[in-house]
Amino acid sequence: MNPMLLRRRSKVILSAGRERQPLEVVATLQKNLDALGFQMSPSLCERVATLSLTQVEAFYKRLIRALREMLGAHRNYAPLYPDFPAQMMRASDAERYWNAYLHYRGQLDRVGEATPRPPRQDVPNWRVLELGTQDEVDALFVALAAARTPYSPEDSADVRWYVAQHRERALSLLPETLPCKENLAVVVAALLADEGTADSRVLALGRHVRTATDVLRIAVALDDGDVSLATPTRFGRYRRPMRRALLNWLEKMPNRLEDLQRWTPRWVRLAERLHPGEHAMRFPGTAADFARLRAGQRLRGFNAQVECALADDDVGTALAVLRARPGELARRLDALARRSHNVQDVVDTFAQVAASVSTPVLLQVMTHFQHRAAPRGLRVFLPKGQVGKLYAIPDRLVPLDADLCAALALCCEQALLARFAALPPLGASYIDPALSRYLVPFSQRSASKALRTLVRGSRVPLSDANTLRMFCWWRNGKSRVDIDLSAAIYGEDVQYIDTVAYYNLATFGAHHSGDIVDAPQGASEFIDIDIDHCRERGIRWIVMCLSSFSGQAYCDLPECFAGWMARTAPDSGEIYEPGTVVDRFDLASDTTFCLPIAFDLVERQALWLDIGLTSTPRFAVNVANNLAGVSLMLRAMSSLPKTTLHTLFDLHVRARGHRVSAPDQAATVFAVDRGITPTDLPRISAEFL
């Protein structure tokens, strides 16, 4: 079973057999898949029918195991109240209190016994399994290698898995350029990771390594560190061939000393592993630069020149220096426009170099200036790193003239249209209006592994189900682990109303399944949200919160995941019905408090957050002590001005296609449920950014 293709495309690779099974065999297999909400396509059914019974059984076991793990159905769910939610609804406040009291004293594991439940009445959230090919797996790897935005942890794992399985094929499939430096490090490190690293492979990869910082990132990737360089990495020992390869690349780099100075502490630590002095005869320039670095000799580098010019309000000199690095100029446009006495010089200089700025940066700058002139309550920052952090501060920027903002945004738009026009034509193209709710994947560095990977800030429509059932499952590590599932409740203007949590099990049409404080064999908690009841009480927002009450970071747990289901008959079927799971995501960040998702009950949309709060209070790690952060994150993410997929695809169609009003009239379809979809993140990053 190819996990990469199954998870990303809902496809399986299955070789044709030489037999012909009766209809009963295929029907039985499909009946068993029904409970998980999966249907086999006609082509897959036809292929299964050609297998022998032994092959069908082996295929079914591999498939069902993989699908159950994807949905979270591979674990046993036993909440404190085994007849949740009806049992919780019947219990009085006194009964809930007393049951919790006994549970915390270790005198009660479960409240009563589970009673037979009626058969499931919910309609599954159907997903179709298609027949796939090895060529599609190869295409996924090529798209990941050509991506122009940093990998998520899941992307990195898939690249490493593919390279481990198909090392020489991966080398031959590499595109001419690996545009994202962080991704380059992951790919190169994966190709060099085996014990028998060949000189020919090092030589072939050398054309992709162009700066000293590339070499540093590769060394970090070899030690499974943070290739964004946001956090330091503890370097391990390298074999002599690996040391020679890294030093050989360094020797060929221009501006080597300036690059070394940008990350001096990291290079000093890495030099302890590379031993450049031992190879001074072979790599004299590198050895000399490391000696200067240790001696504290410094050059007045590029950034120092820019900062000195800005400190003196000499915008003209700053522009002259920044012209050499258009991407850096684009990132500093706002600061230059605020300081300049002749803003037309800023516009003209940027217009001259905009064609050399990368597509992701142009899109972000365009969106920034499209919203810059209007007053905003908050400025929102999503810093790089391996934890999904978000900073929101009051917007106190000096206002900019609307015409200036429009001119800078137009420079970006014209450069993008000219660039896209040089790409192959799209022909008749359809763009789904719903894509305006999905954001462009500029960076997925800290994105959680999920059933369907989306970009933070994207909005997904809710089904017609009247109950949202959140769930989490975890297991103890080296000590007792207590994970708390909670929901913060807000009104129309994001005013706080109440919380459903272990200390408040029922409120405003929401019910908690009970707090479990120890999970030696695994534990689970649930929260049901009755949408209609909440709307009648003036509730708009429900924010899903997960806190590690016992204080362990999620990355230190052996297993912890969460998600939500859409239920129409919550008392039917099992408490955990995998066929109704809409999203399931792993919790593995280096934090103790996570906000995975928020539900907008008015618009009937799920707002994808995937944020970890890194600062925790002095006392209990629970939602009550983090409400200020929860409220701020909700305000920031619900009003986030970011580039949408609709905007990106519209620019492509304007440049190299023409719009049509229906998907069946189009040669190229951009839509939520067909063609190029919001979950095709590697392809979007490789082909459209």
Side-chain angles (χ1 to χ4, degrees):
M1 194 63 58
N2 189 299
M4 189 172 167
L5 191 63
L6 179 62
R7 183 175 6 92
R8 290 181 178 272
R9 293 286 185 269
S10 292
K11 292 185 176 183
V12 295
I13 299 174
L14 190 61
S15 301
R18 298 181 178 180
E19 300 194 19
R20 192 69 196 175
Q21 295 297 334
L23 178 62
E24 289 78 6
V25 172
V26 179
T28 300
L29 196 158
Q30 178 57 64
K31 180 65 176 176
N32 292 339
L33 292 175
D34 284 351
L36 301 179
F38 282 91
Q39 295 177 330
M40 293 189 296
S41 68
S43 60
L44 182 56
C45 290
E46 182 66 26
R47 182 63 55 87
V48 170
T50 67
L51 304 179
S52 67
L53 283 176
T54 302
Q55 291 172 323
V56 171
E57 182 179 5
F59 167 70
Y60 168 73
K61 287 181 177 179
R62 294 195 308 271
L63 178 62
I64 208 75
R65 186 185 306 116
L67 294 181
R68 289 178 67 84
E69 186 170 348
M70 283 170 54
L71 295 169
H74 62 308
R75 298 305 182 203
N76 180 47
Y77 292 83
L80 184 62
Y81 286 81
D83 277 344
F84 177 81
Q87 187 181 10
M88 176 59 68
M89 294 177 180
R90 292 192 302 265
S92 65
D93 289 343
E95 289 173 323
R96 294 175 190 141
Y97 167 80
W98 188 247
N99 291 333
Y101 173 79
L102 295 176
H103 177 63
Y104 294 151
R105 288 173 60 91
Q107 299 175 356
L108 182 68
D109 290 332
R110 294 289 182 272
V111 179
E113 298 294 330
T115 59
R117 301 170 68 94
R120 183 188 69 192
Q121 299 174 24
D122 296 293
V123 177
N125 181 34
W126 292 115
R127 298 176 174 89
V128 179
L129 290 171
E130 301 279 357
L131 194 60
T133 64
Q134 181 61 44
D135 288 344
E136 290 176 295
V137 182
D138 295 342
L140 276 174
F141 170 74
V142 172
L144 285 168
R148 289 175 168 81
T149 54
Y151 290 150
S152 68
E154 186 175 30
D155 293 336
S156 296
D158 281 346
V159 166
R160 291 188 175 99
W161 176 87
Y162 181 90
V163 171
Q165 300 293 320
H166 314 284
R167 193 171 303 276
E168 296 307 320
R169 183 189 298 171
L171 186 62
S172 66
L173 289 174
L174 285 183
E176 282 300 311
T177 59
L178 301 176
C180 179
K181 299 297 189 179
E182 295 178 30
N183 299 350
L184 179 151
V186 174
V187 173
V188 171
L191 286 163
L192 297 180
D194 65 318
E195 288 295 325
T197 298
D199 290 340
S200 59
R201 198 180 308 156
V202 172
L203 184 64
L205 293 171
R207 63 189 174 91
H208 298 287
V209 184
R210 298 177 180 175
T211 69
T213 306
D214 289 348
V215 180
L216 176 61
R217 294 186 196 275
I218 291 169
V220 168
L222 287 168
D223 287 299
D224 294 325
D226 180 3
V227 292
S228 74
L229 304 182
T231 56
T233 297
R234 186 182 182 90
F235 295 108
R237 297 182 181 275
Y238 301 115
R239 292 175 292 110
R240 186 174 292 273
M242 187 69 73
R243 296 205 308 269
R244 285 199 304 265
L246 296 177
L247 289 169
N248 181 54
W249 286 335
L250 273 176
E251 186 70 14
K252 299 175 182 178
M253 295 303 132
N255 305 316
R256 183 175 48 244
L257 183 56
E258 181 181 345
D259 275 0
L260 295 180
Q261 289 178 165
R262 292 178 60 200
W263 304 99
T264 297
R266 315 287 178 88
W267 280 114
V268 170
R269 294 291 174 264
L270 181 57
E272 295 171 356
R273 301 301 187 186
L274 296 181
H275 308 300
E278 293 181 10
H279 303 274
M281 297 292 292
R282 188 170 183 179
F283 310 115
T286 299
D289 283 346
F290 272 115
R292 295 188 187 100
L293 200 67
R294 291 193 186 95
Q297 299 179 18
R298 299 191 63 83
L299 295 175
R300 189 168 182 266
F302 176 86
N303 288 328
Q305 297 176 54
V306 175
E307 292 299 334
C308 288
L310 291 177
D312 296 335
D313 283 334
D314 188 355
V315 176
T317 299
L319 284 171
V321 175
L322 286 166
R323 283 179 64 97
R325 298 187 184 180
E328 192 66 26
L329 171 60
R331 293 181 177 91
R332 292 176 179 262
L333 268 180
D334 199 295
L336 293 166
R338 294 197 307 270
R339 295 167 182 264
S340 178
H341 300 295
N342 186 355
V343 293
Q344 191 59 45
D345 284 350
V346 177
V347 176
D348 292 342
T349 302
F350 179 60
Q352 293 166 15
V353 301
S356 300
V357 180
S358 70
T359 298
V361 172
L362 282 175
L363 285 166
Q364 292 177 86
V365 172
M366 182 184 73
T367 302
H368 171 78
F369 284 106
Q370 286 174 341
H371 296 88
R372 179 66 169 85
R376 294 179 290 177
L378 293 172
R379 292 180 66 197
V380 179
F381 306 91
L382 293 165
K384 67 180 181 180
Q386 294 180 318
V387 177
K389 297 179 290 187
L390 180 146
Y391 297 116
I393 62 174
D395 186 2
R396 297 192 178 96
L397 287 177
V398 176
L400 290 180
D401 180 71
D403 291 338
L404 169 63
C405 294
L408 292 170
L410 182 61
C411 288
C412 298
E413 182 178 339
Q414 290 174 338
L416 289 166
L417 289 172
R419 179 174 301 166
F420 296 159
L423 299 175
L426 295 173
S429 303
Y430 170 78
I431 305 177
D432 187 347
L435 290 174
S436 60
R437 298 194 298 260
Y438 296 85
L439 302 189
V440 173
F442 290 124
S443 175
Q444 294 291 93
R445 290 184 187 96
S446 56
S448 298
K449 180 181 178 181
L451 189 57
R452 53 176 180 176
T453 303
L454 296 171
V455 180
R456 290 184 184 90
S458 295
R459 292 171 174 259
V460 182
L462 299 178
S463 67
D464 294 332
N466 63 343
T467 299
L468 305 175
R469 177 167 293 172
M470 309 174 197
F471 65 87
C472 71
W473 192 96
W474 77 96
R475 181 161 49 87
N476 285 355
K478 296 179 180 178
S479 59
R480 181 183 70 86
V481 177
D482 180 6
I483 303 298
D484 288 325
L485 174 64
S486 310
I489 301 172
Y490 294 87
E492 187 68 35
D493 297 322
V494 196
Q495 76 275 17
Y496 172 71
I497 295 178
D498 204 351
T499 300
V500 57
Y502 66 88
Y503 53 83
N504 188 31
L505 297 177
T507 182
F508 290 99
H511 294 86
H512 195 293
S513 66
D515 183 29
I516 296 180
V517 298
D518 195 6
Q521 305 301 321
S524 55
E525 294 183 6
F526 297 84
I527 291 178
D528 269 15
I529 306 293
D530 187 320
I531 297 177
D532 294 337
H533 191 92
C534 287
R535 287 300 304 131
E536 291 170 1
R537 304 294 295 272
I539 293 169
R540 175 169 185 174
W541 293 99
I542 305 288
V543 183
M544 183 179 185
C545 309
L546 287 144
S547 50
S548 176
F549 188 87
S550 48
Q552 298 94 334
Y554 292 107
C555 61
D556 295 330
L557 304 184
E559 187 174 9
C560 183
F561 59 86
W564 64 283
M565 294 172 266
R567 305 293 294 264
T568 54
D571 277 317
S572 70
E574 299 300 323
I575 298 175
Y576 184 88
E577 279 289 348
T580 65
V581 171
V582 180
D583 278 309
R584 181 266 197 200
F585 34 84
D586 286 348
L587 299 172
S589 61
D590 186 13
T591 183
T592 57
F593 195 87
C594 292
L595 306 177
I597 201 162
F599 299 99
D600 184 344
L601 304 187
V602 172
E603 298 293 334
R604 293 191 69 89
Q605 295 174 349
L607 173 62
W608 185 241
L609 302 178
D610 195 13
I611 293 173
L613 299 186
T614 55
S615 59
T616 55
R618 292 176 56 193
F619 304 106
V621 183
N622 61 19
V623 68
N625 289 327
N626 283 279
L627 279 174
V630 175
S631 301
L632 182 62
M633 296 301 101
L634 178 59
R635 289 181 184 277
M637 292 298 289
S638 60
S639 58
L640 192 66
K642 290 292 183 180
T643 312
T644 67
L645 286 178
H646 191 282
T647 298
L648 173 62
F649 295 145
D650 179 67
L651 287 167
H652 276 275
V653 173
R654 286 165 56 192
R656 55 186 180 125
H658 62 276
R659 292 281 291 271
V660 294
S661 58
D664 56 359
Q665 302 170 355
T668 305
V669 175
F670 304 98
V672 172
D673 57 352
R674 67 181 78 179
I676 300 168
T677 71
T679 58
D680 290 334
L681 299 184
R683 184 178 179 187
I684 293 170
S685 182
E687 298 180 16
F688 297 93
L689 285 179

